[in-house]
Amino acid sequence: MCEKHDPLAAIIAAAMPQMAGRAVTATANATPAVGPVSSRPGPQSEPTQQAQQVLHPVRPVIHNVASANAEAHEAQASRRRRLWELGHACHCPLVGVGFPLGVLRKLVDKVTNGKVLADDYEVHVGAVTECATRNRLSEALQKELERRYAPVLLRFRAAKTTEQVADLWRAAVAAGDVAGAFWAGLTHPRCSPEVEEQMCRDLHMVQHQAGACVRADITRFNAALQDNTRLAQELAKSQQRAAALLAEKSADAEKHAAQLMQLRAQVVGKDSLVDSLRTELEQLRESIPGLETRAKLAERLQQMDERERAMRQQIAELKLELARAVEAPAMPIQEETRQVVEHVMKMPLRLSERAVLCVGGRSGNVATYRELIEREGAQFSHHDGGLEDNANRLDASLAAADLVICQTGCISHSAYWRVKDYCKRNGKRCVFIDNPSISSLARGLEQAGAD
């Protein structure tokens, strides 16, 4: 709003002559009439001239629409007023709020057929001045206002009374959209001078509030700019750290990928080597006939060697026991052995030229078993049930024996069931002895002879 066209000052200035006129009229009625005064100016005629000026006040240049155009307002009450028909005090706020600066400059350039070399304030003052009369610029501004605020004009057209116009204006002020409502209210046929004055006052305060809001927005905007700068710096630092971490992780990933490729290459090489060795092994097996048989024979030979070592160790133990027996009196043992032998010889079981297999038993009694069996002309063999001797040899030993002696108290469960099942399937005679003593062996042989 320009300083030369303040609507509030114009409204007050327009109202002051009316008040002065009423005061002078009251004074004239109360005082007697004066006589004629000489027309020659002089010192004595000055009070009379001042009284005439009070009785007939000079109208100001900026005046209210109701006082300046009362008769025209009555004649135009049935239609909307034009821009140049409004009071000059309304032109400044109307141009200020009704036209953005860019639109106003464009309209002025279009009317003047060229670019106006003036600042925004000069363009505003020139437009306000031109609105006082009907001309090309005022007609262009009228047309633009009608086009720009056509929806608001349509809403104000429904108002039939001055109070309804005032209500629509107050609603627009409360909503914060006053530009279109100001134009529609000023030009409405039912807009009274009081409503027009109130609209100018309200718009004046709205502009002050808008300026305060703009200053507050500028303050917040500057604070937001500072925060944005600080956050931008922090973001740049964070991005730098993230880029460094990303580069480090990328380097580690590439390193791990290279190591993984090397390991995969090594695995592929080892798989190829294993395949080639398997192929070579198959070729070697095919080139050597009877390789499996030789492997079995080698295993058999190893078992025989182990058995031979066991027998040699047993012989050494027996020799050591014999040497001890020679040194100590052995009459009770020899007597017991002789009685057992005599008891065995009395049995009806014939062991001559027969193969006897003893499975299990204590290693110290095996020599006594061998001596008793071999005295009868039988072939004695022993298998410990898989403790030291190979368990796979048990079937071969059972197949070669005519009589099987199974020491149930000194044999594993697997060997026991294996001996029992084999003898049952093949009808082989088997003697089960609970105690590994010599007397138990004699009773078992006696029982086998009785059967």
Side-chain angles (χ1 to χ4, degrees), residues 174-220:
D177 186 12
V178 297
F182 190 67
W183 167 247
L186 289 178
T187 59
H188 197 277
R190 296 294 180 265
C191 180
S192 64
E194 291 78 7
V195 174
E196 180 179 342
E197 180 180 354
Q198 187 62 40
M199 290 174 61
C200 291
R201 290 184 177 186
D202 293 341
L203 184 61
H204 185 83
M205 298 310 298
V206 166
Q207 288 178 335
H208 281 299
Q209 294 175 2
C213 293
V214 168
R215 289 192 296 272
D217 292 341
I218 291 175
T219 302
R220 288 194 294 269

Side-chain angles (χ1 to χ4, degrees), residues 94 149 152-153 155-156 165 168-173 177-187 199:
L94 182 60
Y149 302 113
V152 184
L153 293 173
R155 187 169 68 250
F156 270 74
V165 175
L168 290 175
W169 166 250
R170 284 192 290 269
V173 172
D177 186 12
V178 297
F182 190 67
W183 167 247
L186 289 178
T187 59
M199 290 174 61

Side-chain angles (χ1 to χ4, degrees), residues 43-59:
Q44 296 179 355
S45 63
E46 291 181 359
T48 305
Q49 293 178 357
Q50 293 178 356
Q52 290 178 355
Q53 291 178 357
V54 173
L55 293 175
H56 303 284
V58 180
R59 293 185 179 180

